[in-house]
Amino acid sequence: MAENAANTIAKERVCDLATRNGEPRWLKDLRLNAWEAYLKLPAPNHRHEEWHKTGIEKLDLSQYGLLEESKSAPGKARDKSELVAKSIEAAATLTQGYGATGTFVELDAELASKGVIFKSLSSAIEENEDLLKTILTGDKYVPESDKPDKFALLNRALFQGGVLLYVPAGVVIDKPFVFNVDMPAVASKLAIFPRVIVILESNAQAQVVTVSGDQAASADGGLFVDMLTEVYLGANARLSGVNVDKLSDTTYQMSKTRTHVERDAHFDYLTCGLGAKQIKSDFETVMAGPGSYSRVQGLVLGSGSEQYSYNTTQAHKTPNASSDIIFRVALKDKAQSIYQGNVLVDKIAQKTSAFQSNKNLLLGQKAKADSIPRLEILADDVKCSHGATVGPVDPEQLFYLQCRGLSVQEAQEFIVSGFFVQVLDTVNITGAAAWIGELVAQKIHS
Amino acid sequence: MTAKQPILQIIDLHAKVEDKEILKGVNLTINGGEVHAIMGRNGSGKSTLSYTLMGHPRYQVTSGKMLYKGQEISEMSPDERAKLGLALAFQYPVAIPGVSVSNFLRATTKAVRGKEIPVKEFRQELKAQMAKLGVKDEFLSRYINDGFSGGEKKRIEILQLSLLKPALAILDETDSGLDIDALKTVSEGINALATPETGILLITHYQRLLNYVQPQFVHVFQDGQILKSGGPDLALELEERGYDWVQPSPAVAAK
């Protein structure tokens, strides 16, 4: 990565951003602190473990400008139904249109009367300042990460747009909150910094669906999306989430999802990588209380020369918690994927159960996949396992299907859909599995 | 009898796997309405014959002919052969995790029949066949062959063939690993495949199956060839005396 990012996005810009949005002093300070920390961290390069084979050196942030004024940005409005299928019935939908689409939200009065907050971050700054300050400044919700991250810091300095979902204790909502990040077709290089904050207080239950979509850029254009998602689950809370990244081949996306899972809470999340020039996505999940459980699953279908890099961290800081990671990757053409899975078990985290599985199906002759597990286990009474496979479609499966009348092409599609169905079958958000299955089918055919 | 085109004619067929010749001159003709049994020891090349007939990419025909209703099939892909009317019930059916039995049956039946089948019609047909084979409804939502017992796999293979209605059904050790009840049910399924226009090729290791599915012709397979051919009595003799006594039929010996 070119280190001269500071040339373009200087300190004054951070101040400008805060001032222009009329943000309170504490938030401006947070932005500046994050900016200072960002500058101090060395730029990532391929020698850093988690940036192996990501081609990070090629990314020159100095070429990217900031969105000056969302209304003046190019791009034409489109129907939000293009982003999320009709098969999903949402509790509320918020579309963050970077560009002419604008931002709109629908939340029914009944949920609002229960104290549920689902609104753009800029509205939350104006209307729920105290709550937001507690979330962003203290350690009550999502504590600082042990591992500072360059792009997470950059987002904290420059975030523009995003969403806050706050569900008070005991409130149960069985339909998803949908957050669309809808990015414009750009004629130049543009950097975008969405931020998602999800807070479930104790015994709350909710579902979220986030979608990143864009429109193909013109020849000199391209997006750099730096997304930060922070999730806090209070005691015995339940969150199911699905995220779909379906971006064009001129878009870079760096995203970080940090989740703090308190006692007996469950975090169940599926991320789907269905397109981008490059996606680098990190999931850092902290099992903070006994009985906590997290399952992070990935479904990646790459084509062309797309590159995917997923890093997961299952951090067990308490005894008697469990976590599962299941990543399924299928790569067409010369698409590439690298998966790195970290299991960190603290000395006190006895009776931890941590599982990791990464299966890669190479459909293209030139497709490549790597899988790297890292286990750092300091407790002595734990159950941890990991497994990875990389390989082409099993020729015996192909033959079997061909013997039943399916062409090689049809048989491959069958096998790939089946490969993903095992992940999709676990998704408990109504309509989500069918929608993603449809997106997968479209991409297999393309 | 009129000179009707045979369903299958295999003429001096040679085939190899990775440079090793396994089939060394197989000759076999199956007419409509006939059931043939091929018996032989493990490793005699019986399964190779079934894979070669279906066009497994690992098995390469080096010489000879395979004619299906007079048409040479050795250059065709497995799916083309399936669409013509050949079907193989696998000795070891392959699991395709994530693909449910119902989706699988619908897609494959559509592919082989070459046309969409109305959902309701297909369902009725499927239920009727399932009932005959004692396959429970819960199977429909399971992944094909994934975690199935040996007997379950074999029932599902026969269920598939009963929907595909092949003109040439090749059954590769469909009886292996079945208990006697399952064997009876599966045998009924095989018998139901037989019509005056259908040829059936049973490949088996045990005579037991032939108590329930009666072949008109029994062939002893050894070292990549049919060593001896005869009627149903030959199977009984093999059961009693093993394979060691078998002497080549004059036709084979003459070569």
Side-chain angles (χ1 to χ4, degrees):
Chain A
M1 183 180 111
E3 178 63 316
N4 55 357
N7 296 345
T8 311
I9 306 164
K11 184 174 173 180
E12 293 73 44
R13 304 285 296 276
V14 182
C15 294
D16 283 353
L17 185 68
T19 311
R20 194 169 66 229
N21 295 342
E23 289 174 359
R25 178 77 214 183
W26 62 267
L27 186 53
K28 188 173 170 183
D29 289 345
L30 280 184
R31 286 184 184 275
L32 286 170
N33 291 344
W35 177 250
E36 295 298 335
Y38 164 79
L39 288 182
K40 277 184 201 136
L41 268 192
N45 65 50
H46 69 276
R47 284 183 296 276
H48 293 98
E49 272 172 355
E50 64 168 288
W51 292 96
H52 278 333
K53 301 183 187 179
T54 56
I56 183 68
E57 279 88 353
K58 284 186 218 139
L59 174 65
D60 182 1
L61 267 193
S62 68
Q63 293 182 1
Y64 288 82
L66 279 179
L67 195 62
E68 293 298 340
E69 179 65 54
S70 65
K71 288 191 184 72
S72 68
K76 61 178 199 300
R78 56 177 175 167
D79 190 337
K80 70 179 196 295
S81 63
E82 285 178 45
L83 288 163
V84 180
K86 294 180 184 74
S87 63
I88 293 183
E89 196 191 331
T93 301
L94 190 150
T95 297
Q96 176 72 55
Y98 290 89
T101 0
T103 299
F104 49 90
V105 62
E106 305 144 9
L107 176 68
D108 71 43
E110 198 198 327
L111 288 176
S113 73
K114 288 179 180 167
V116 174
I117 298 168
F118 181 68
K119 60 177 67 164
S120 71
L121 272 191
S122 49
S123 306
I125 292 164
E126 286 173 26
E127 298 160 17
N128 308 85
E129 189 188 333
D130 290 346
L131 174 65
L132 205 61
K133 190 176 176 188
T134 313
I135 293 169
L136 295 180
T137 56
D139 265 355
K140 180 170 182 229
Y141 291 107
V142 186
E144 281 293 321
S145 172
D146 301 335
K147 271 198 318 193
D149 177 276
K150 191 92 173 160
F151 290 107
L153 288 166
L154 190 60
N155 179 290
R156 283 161 61 179
L158 293 168
F159 70 88
Q160 239 184 324
V163 66
L164 169 68
L165 171 63
Y166 178 84
V167 184
V171 175
V172 173
I173 306 136
D174 58 6
K175 286 179 197 162
F177 291 90
V178 177
F179 177 55
N180 293 322
V181 183
D182 183 17
M183 288 164 284
V186 285
S188 59
K189 301 235 187 288
L190 182 66
I192 282 170
F193 300 87
R195 188 169 186 180
V196 176
I197 299 170
V198 177
I199 307 287
L200 268 59
E201 298 283 14
S202 55
N203 295 302
Q205 194 171 319
Q207 303 179 338
V208 290
V209 173
T210 63
V211 192
S212 292
D214 65 4
Q215 299 167 64
S218 56
D220 299 324
L223 287 170
F224 171 76
V225 184
D226 178 353
M227 188 150 174
L228 177 61
T229 303
E230 290 147 307
V231 179
Y232 170 86
L233 304 182
N236 208 37
R238 297 276 182 282
L239 181 71
S240 300
V242 164
N243 154 244
V244 172
D245 295 320
K246 194 171 176 295
L247 300 159
S248 57
D249 61 6
T250 49
T251 298
Y252 282 96
Q253 176 158 292
M254 306 286 164
S255 99
K256 179 122 195 157
T257 304
R258 299 187 54 224
T259 305
H260 190 82
V261 191
E262 286 288 358
R263 176 178 204 118
D264 299 319
H266 288 192
F267 176 59
D268 189 5
Y269 200 82
L270 169 66
T271 184
C272 305
L274 297 174
K277 182 182 180 70
Q278 183 174 1
I279 286 179
K280 159 90 162 59
S281 188
D282 298 353
F283 287 84
E284 186 186 317
T285 310
V286 176
M287 268 49 72
S292 57
Y293 172 67
S294 89
R295 176 170 64 184
V296 175
Q297 303 193 90
L299 180 164
V300 179
L301 177 59
S303 65
S305 46
E306 294 166 1
Q307 285 193 24
Y308 297 87
S309 166
Y310 288 87
N311 278 269
T312 61
T313 301
Q314 299 151 270
H316 284 261
K317 303 200 168 190
T318 174
N320 291 301
S322 46
S323 62
D324 291 326
I325 296 276
I326 299 155
F327 266 72
R328 297 251 161 151
V329 181
L331 302 169
K332 293 166 59 173
D333 310 324
K334 49 183 179 176
Q336 293 189 21
S337 165
I338 176 161
Y339 168 77
Q340 306 197 49
N342 302 284
V343 177
L344 309 176
V345 181
D346 279 5
K347 203 167 177 183
I348 61 154
Q350 300 293 5
K351 306 283 181 194
T352 284
S353 162
F355 170 80
Q356 205 179 79
S357 156
N358 170 223
K359 291 188 178 171
N360 299 278
L361 204 50
L362 303 179
L363 305 171
Q365 299 266 328
K366 292 182 175 168
K368 262 190 215 160
D370 282 288
S371 188
I372 304 167
R374 274 195 204 91
L375 278 65
E376 213 177 295
I377 299 165
L378 302 177
D380 54 15
D381 182 15
V382 301
K383 272 203 312 214
C384 293
S385 67
H386 63 91
T389 57
V390 179
V393 169
D394 178 357
E396 298 305 322
Q397 287 184 338
L398 270 184
F399 178 63
Y400 186 69
L401 287 165
Q402 280 188 280
C403 282
R404 299 292 183 256
L406 302 182
S407 68
V408 172
Q409 175 76 12
E410 289 166 333
Q412 276 212 358
E413 287 171 17
F414 237 76
I415 292 165
V416 174
S417 318
F419 181 67
F420 288 139
V421 159
Q422 291 165 283
V423 166
L424 291 177
D425 271 358
T426 66
V427 174
N428 63 0
I429 298 175
T430 308
W435 167 55
I436 297 163
E438 185 62 31
L439 295 178
V440 165
Q442 282 168 15
K443 187 154 184 182
I444 294 175
H445 288 295
S446 68
Chain B
M1 249 173 56
T2 52
K4 215 178 159 192
Q5 188 83 272
I7 305 272
L8 179 72
Q9 262 182 300
I10 304 175
I11 303 162
D12 195 25
L13 184 70
H14 291 251
K16 63 175 188 179
V17 181
E18 287 152 10
D19 292 333
K20 189 173 182 233
E21 188 173 53
I22 311 257
L23 299 184
K24 301 170 184 173
V26 179
N27 291 285
L28 179 67
T29 299
I30 300 178
N31 294 298
E34 291 179 0
V35 177
H36 291 243
I38 288 188
M39 302 186 69
R41 289 194 179 94
N42 285 331
S44 59
K46 308 188 297 285
S47 286
T48 298
L49 178 63
S50 66
Y51 280 147
T52 306
L53 282 169
M54 280 315 292
H56 192 294
R58 248 165 56 90
Y59 298 80
Q60 221 184 324
V61 173
T62 49
S63 68
K65 285 183 176 164
M66 288 189 287
L67 303 175
Y68 173 81
K69 296 185 177 173
Q71 188 180 2
E72 178 58 64
I73 56 169
S74 55
E75 296 295 315
M76 291 182 182
S77 65
D79 48 306
E80 288 169 331
R81 298 182 202 200
K83 283 173 178 157
L84 276 185
L86 285 84
L88 167 66
F90 280 61
Q91 182 181 4
Y92 302 112
V94 183
I96 321 256
V99 176
S100 71
V101 171
S102 62
N103 281 348
F104 180 87
L105 292 178
R106 213 175 133 64
T108 55
T109 308
K110 182 187 155 197
V112 167
R113 294 190 192 170
K115 60 171 196 275
E116 195 75 55
I117 312 141
V119 178
K120 206 175 155 194
E121 196 179 299
F122 179 71
R123 222 176 153 70
Q124 282 173 352
E125 188 182 345
L126 177 58
K127 293 274 178 185
Q129 295 294 353
M130 284 169 67
K132 279 189 201 160
L133 289 164
V135 176
K136 294 196 184 92
D137 277 4
E138 66 200 42
F139 267 84
L140 291 177
S141 56
R142 287 178 66 184
Y143 301 153
I144 184 85
N145 296 325
D146 194 26
F148 288 16
S149 71
E152 288 167 345
K153 285 182 186 168
K154 298 298 172 75
R155 276 177 210 248
I156 298 293
E157 288 295 287
I158 300 303
L159 175 63
Q160 292 183 50
L161 264 55
S162 72
L163 293 167
L164 301 179
K165 299 186 171 51
L168 177 64
I170 307 156
L171 299 118
D172 190 0
E173 304 216 12
T174 297
D175 53 327
S176 303
L178 295 183
D179 63 33
I180 195 72
D181 290 335
L183 181 67
K184 282 181 189 167
T185 316
V186 162
S187 299
E188 282 165 24
I190 298 172
N191 286 326
L193 295 173
T195 72
E197 282 75 45
T198 313
I200 294 179
L201 181 60
L202 299 171
I203 292 171
T204 180
H205 194 65
Y206 306 103
Q207 184 275 333
R208 195 178 62 147
L209 172 68
L210 310 185
N211 293 334
Y212 302 98
V213 183
Q214 267 137 27
Q216 296 93 331
F217 305 92
V218 173
H219 311 276
V220 179
F221 211 78
Q222 193 169 303
D223 194 25
Q225 291 183 326
I226 289 175
L227 187 65
K228 189 180 181 71
S229 297
D233 293 349
L234 181 56
L236 292 169
E237 209 168 347
L238 287 170
E239 177 81 352
E240 232 166 79
R241 299 173 61 188
Y243 289 97
D244 289 337
W245 62 275
V246 182
Q247 293 298 315
S249 300
V252 180
K255 293 195 104 181

